[in-house]
Amino acid sequence: SQKIEQNSEALNIQEGKTATLTCNYTNYSPAYLQWYRQDPGRGPVFLLLIRENEKEKRKERLKVTFDTTLKQSLFHITASQPADSATYLCALRGGATNKLIFGTGTLLAVQP
Amino acid sequence: DADVTQTPRNRITKTGKRIMLECSQTKGHDRMYWYRQDPGLGLQLIYYSFDVKDINKGEISDGYSVSRQAQAKFSLSLESAIPNQTALYFCATSDSTTGTSGGAGNEQFFGPGTRLTVL
């Protein structure tokens, strides 16, 4: 069956460190993968998109990698800040489908 | 003003009642979506619409119906609400013609959500 997996356990890190979140998928061949941030009680906000032919994408302190062989995307936040604390969702779109399939998200807590 | 708005923001209702959740957008996007979010289950797609005359079922459409009254409006109805429809509901939009990756990205823009409780 098709599955997207994100670490369900919260990730706790110290301010200033790099946070790394993982998104693994099975039985998909996504044309691209997206990352969203969600704060409690709010709608997700789009952060980054990476295509299947791209290895890495950066935006300010954010970096996303996409390994279609490992079927994995890594999401990095460098020099993390308490304001980065939120749930981060990965979402992928496969082939001809125009639907986004979301992972369950990983809660990141950055301690001051 | 918010680009994607949802009304109501909170609703408590009883089993068997008919409920309508409304979504409006000022982004000029052609595509609209309804999701529900439950703790530990992530976002699940209920229905989506790629234009006014196009309506498609998502993963969990049973017990729900939708109406795309105009390009800017997409409403979700629960014909006879039941307790397991208690959840956070999100509307989202996307533009089929533009995106951060020149059209192929179609990132979605979400509304603030409606918290629905069915007693």
Side-chain angles (χ1 to χ4, degrees):
Chain A
S1 63
Q2 296 176 318
K3 207 186 307 184
I4 304 173
E5 291 181 326
Q6 294 185 255
N7 195 336
S8 58
E9 293 182 9
L11 178 63
N12 292 285
I13 65 167
Q14 209 63 33
E15 182 176 7
K17 301 292 186 184
T18 296
T20 298
L21 286 69
T22 304
C23 177
N24 295 299
Y25 59 92
T26 54
N27 295 324
Y28 284 108
S29 297
Y32 30 84
L33 189 146
Q34 302 182 12
W35 283 88
Y36 290 77
R37 169 185 172 140
Q38 186 174 23
D39 291 284
R42 297 193 168 203
V45 175
F46 172 80
L47 296 174
L48 279 170
L49 174 147
I50 187 164
R51 299 188 193 200
E52 60 181 339
N53 61 352
E54 297 175 319
K55 295 290 186 187
E56 183 180 295
K57 184 73 72 73
R58 290 175 186 261
K59 178 182 176 184
E60 297 173 352
R61 295 184 296 110
L62 308 181
K63 184 178 84 171
V64 173
T65 62
F66 194 10
D67 189 325
T68 55
T69 300
L70 290 179
K71 296 187 181 299
Q72 181 181 78
S73 175
L74 298 178
F75 177 82
H76 306 272
I77 305 176
T78 58
S80 60
Q81 306 165 0
D84 295 325
S85 298
T87 296
Y88 291 86
L89 309 172
C90 70
L92 56 81
R93 187 187 307 270
T97 180
N98 284 300
K99 295 182 288 184
L100 268 183
I101 309 299
F102 284 85
T104 54
T106 297
L107 176 63
L108 172 66
V110 181
Q111 310 298 331
Chain B
D1 286 343
D3 295 319
V4 184
T5 57
Q6 293 183 233
T7 56
R9 294 295 314 278
N10 287 283
R11 181 73 184 268
I12 300 174
T13 190
K14 294 183 179 180
T15 297
K17 295 290 187 183
R18 184 178 188 274
I19 297 298
M20 179 180 286
L21 309 183
E22 299 189 0
C23 177
S24 294
Q25 53 116 343
T26 58
K27 299 187 76 67
H29 289 172
D30 51 344
R31 298 178 174 182
M32 298 187 73
Y33 312 80
W34 274 105
Y35 293 90
R36 69 177 274 176
Q37 188 173 40
D38 299 274
L41 291 181
L43 285 162
Q44 296 175 276
L45 184 63
I46 307 173
Y47 271 96
Y48 61 104
S49 169
F50 284 169
D51 65 43
V52 175
K53 295 181 181 179
D54 176 78
I55 300 289
N56 303 281
K57 292 182 177 180
E59 307 164 73
I60 55 162
S61 58
D62 287 349
Y64 302 94
S65 62
V66 291
S67 174
R68 185 86 183 264
Q69 301 95 322
Q71 186 185 39
K73 296 185 182 294
F74 193 34
S75 60
L76 175 72
S77 293
L78 287 67
E79 296 302 325
S80 179
I82 56 177
N84 76 2
Q85 291 178 312
T86 294
L88 194 52
Y89 289 85
F90 289 104
C91 173
T93 73
S94 68
D95 188 333
S96 63
T97 61
T98 62
T100 58
S101 60
N106 304 133
E107 65 265 34
Q108 295 188 5
F109 297 83
F110 286 79
T114 295
R115 186 168 296 281
L116 176 66
T117 302
V118 183
L119 302 176

